[in-house]
Amino acid sequence: MKLYVRAPFSEKCLNELGGMFDEVVYEPWTTTGERYYEDEMLEHLIQQQPDALITELDRVTEKVLRGYDHLQFIGDCRGEPANIQMDACTAAGIPILCTPGRNTQAVAEMVVGLILAFYRRLIPAIQWTKGGEWVAGTTPYYLWMGNELQGKKVGFVGFGRISHAVAKILEGFDCDVSFYDPFLSGDQGRYHKRTLEEIFAESDIVSLHLPVMDSTRGMITEPLLRSMRKDALFVNAARSALVDYGALRRVLEEEKIRGAILDVLNTEPPTPEDLSIAKCPNVLLTPHICGATYEVTDHQSDILTNSIRKWLKEEDLEKIVYNRDVLKR
């Protein structure tokens, strides 16, 4: 069997894959920084003639699978295969192996770090200092005074792996953690279940951690955002499609809330309209990098290599195949 690897992979796991397959072609998207859309993906599959594919950003659609029908499985280095047309894989009988939890710790640490940076006003303070503004007669101690995270009420919208990891870190700050998640029936230990409206109305910090589905798309509306406390902080390190960003911009411009931390935008790279929200002085915006650590490559490599090993041995298929209705090959 020939394996075509289009995702960043650790050397250790590439060597392991080399022992499982007759040939491994390693061409990660990070080499050029370009993802393949369906025409390019189809072209390279026809050129490489692999029996299996590992991807991360490349688009795998019905057109791709109709044009190249030799894939026995697809490995996707994502928690959920948003870049893959699932119904087309189901129709073709192609199992999908994913890497849930690969970036959980990376995102969790970054979210807490960004909250600390916002509360302590680190970015403007650093820019002020580097810009030569610290001169005789200034009092930076009072000029850049911020807030502590300890004891704050933090409300999560969605309480999966990442939310739990953030909550665990926040235990060290003695934060009061609550959550809204329709798939959980009650409190989770010291973490209390609330309604969505209660999360927005009562929290010092509201943090989103949801996938985009029909039920979650655009669920964060203007009325919810306007129900937040004036000193509250809104955090979205999940997906922009969850939020009415026009409403968020209006709420920020009117200073109805303290501010927002955003790692995702509607269009990436951003359009001028998308960047308009970044012009709000109470926004801390990062370029979709909460999950960007070197360790994530190691995590996804380990998870997927282990799943492929089990797949080849036909072990625990129901646990490793994303689409559990598709188990044949």
Side-chain angles (χ1 to χ4, degrees):
M1 292 180 66
K2 180 178 180 179
L3 177 65
Y4 186 29
V5 182
R6 281 281 302 155
F9 235 70
S10 69
E11 183 177 357
K12 174 181 76 73
C13 288
L14 282 173
N15 289 334
E16 291 182 27
L17 291 175
M20 302 179 203
F21 294 85
D22 298 305
E23 182 181 358
V24 176
V25 176
Y26 184 50
E27 293 182 352
W29 68 268
T30 48
T31 301
T32 61
E34 297 181 22
R35 65 192 298 181
Y36 290 156
Y37 291 90
E38 59 180 7
D39 289 338
E40 294 88 353
M41 188 75 261
L42 177 56
E43 176 185 345
H44 283 79
L45 286 174
I46 292 173
Q47 177 183 336
Q48 292 291 340
Q49 292 290 305
D51 298 290
L53 169 69
I54 293 178
T55 182
E56 181 179 17
L57 295 180
D58 305 317
R59 286 287 291 156
V60 181
T61 64
E62 181 179 2
K63 179 180 179 180
V64 173
L65 298 179
R66 285 185 180 276
Y68 185 81
D69 60 358
H70 304 307
L71 293 177
Q72 296 190 38
F73 72 83
I74 298 173
D76 201 23
C77 291
R78 300 169 71 101
E80 58 185 66
N83 57 316
I84 296 176
Q85 194 171 339
M86 289 293 299
D87 55 355
C89 289
T90 301
I94 301 174
I96 299 175
L97 313 178
C98 293
T99 55
R102 68 180 183 124
N103 63 0
T104 296
Q105 189 63 24
V107 176
E109 290 182 10
M110 184 77 161
V111 166
V112 175
L114 288 171
I115 292 171
L116 290 169
F118 188 98
Y119 266 5
R120 297 302 298 271
R121 306 172 69 193
L122 293 184
I123 306 302
I126 290 169
Q127 293 172 337
W128 179 84
T129 306
K130 288 187 173 183
E133 300 295 326
W134 190 2
V135 295
T138 58
T139 53
Y141 183 89
Y142 293 104
L143 180 63
W144 297 111
M145 187 170 289
N147 291 100
E148 296 174 6
L149 179 55
Q150 183 174 1
K152 295 297 186 292
K153 294 182 178 181
V154 182
F156 293 103
V157 181
F159 206 54
R161 288 185 181 88
I162 293 176
S163 299
H164 273 87
V166 177
K168 184 177 180 180
I169 296 173
L170 292 178
E171 289 181 8
F173 294 88
D174 197 26
C175 290
D176 181 356
V177 173
S178 57
F179 67 91
Y180 165 77
D181 194 316
F183 296 102
L184 297 176
S185 58
D187 292 353
Q188 302 290 301
R190 62 183 292 183
Y191 311 136
H192 306 295
K193 183 174 182 178
R194 297 286 187 265
T195 66
L196 185 61
E197 290 73 19
E198 288 171 336
I199 290 292
F200 274 82
E202 300 173 4
S203 302
D204 295 304
I205 302 166
V206 175
S207 189
L208 305 189
H209 300 279
L210 292 168
V212 177
M213 305 180 292
D214 291 340
S215 60
T216 62
R217 189 179 299 275
M219 69 178 292
I220 309 305
T221 62
E222 189 157 350
L224 278 174
L225 293 167
R226 289 189 179 277
S227 73
M228 294 175 69
R229 293 160 44 175
K230 187 175 177 60
D231 61 348
L233 177 62
F234 178 79
V235 182
N236 186 9
R239 294 289 184 267
S240 64
L242 302 169
V243 184
D244 180 344
Y245 266 35
L248 177 61
R249 185 177 67 251
R250 290 189 291 273
V251 169
L252 290 165
E253 290 173 344
E254 296 170 19
E255 298 183 350
K256 296 296 184 182
I257 63 175
R258 179 171 181 175
I261 295 170
L262 306 174
D263 189 49
V264 289
L265 293 171
N266 288 328
T267 305
E268 298 176 2
T271 64
E273 181 180 356
D274 291 311
L275 278 179
S276 64
I277 198 168
K279 295 180 181 179
C280 299
N282 50 353
V283 170
L284 197 167
L285 175 66
T286 50
H288 205 152
I289 57 172
C290 278
T293 67
Y294 293 107
E295 288 82 359
V296 166
T297 296
D298 295 331
H299 299 329
Q300 68 189 29
S301 302
D302 290 337
I303 294 169
L304 195 51
T305 299
N306 186 52
S307 293
I308 291 172
R309 184 181 295 108
K310 290 181 177 181
W311 183 85
L312 290 171
K313 295 179 180 179
E314 297 189 346
E315 297 177 357
D316 299 322
L317 291 182
E318 290 190 2
K319 295 181 180 179
I320 64 173
V321 175
Y322 183 85
N323 186 347
R324 296 185 179 182
D325 294 329
V326 182
L327 298 179
K328 64 180 181 178
R329 57 186 170 104

